[in-house]
Amino acid sequence: RELARSVGRAVAAVHAAGFTTPDLTAKHVLVNRDTLAVTFLDWQSSARGPVGDSARTDALGALHASLAGPLATSRERLVALRAYSEHLP
């Protein structure tokens, strides 16, 4: 569950900093297995500016849809979503 929290917080931090990308998928999330630090890859299509509800929903939906079922339970996905919502300004 701590990994799910780390991913949720990391996505929230990116959005809070004013960045979004249409390609936030599981294959672009690198996790350090020792520290659970999250790094996002492939940011060529990212943009900076206000991140509205639509962009947030699209990014979270893309990440959810691209993550293979066995890699995260429904509960872990909800933990990530909760961590995301708790870390937005």
Side-chain angles (χ1 to χ4, degrees), residues 3-79:
L3 175 56
R5 283 186 197 93
S6 293
V7 171
R9 287 189 299 253
V11 175
V14 167
H15 285 168
F19 288 96
T20 189
T21 179
D23 201 20
L24 182 59
T25 58
K27 70 180 181 178
H28 294 138
V29 179
L30 180 66
V31 178
N32 179 314
R33 72 172 140 176
D34 295 326
T35 65
L36 299 182
V38 176
T39 303
F40 298 107
L41 308 173
D42 197 21
W43 279 84
Q44 297 90 314
S45 60
S46 67
R48 184 144 196 211
V51 182
D53 290 342
S54 178
R56 294 178 199 277
T57 302
D58 289 349
L60 293 170
L63 187 56
H64 167 71
S66 66
L67 187 60
L71 295 179
T73 65
S74 295
R75 183 169 175 90
E76 289 166 329
R77 291 167 193 260
L78 289 172
V79 166

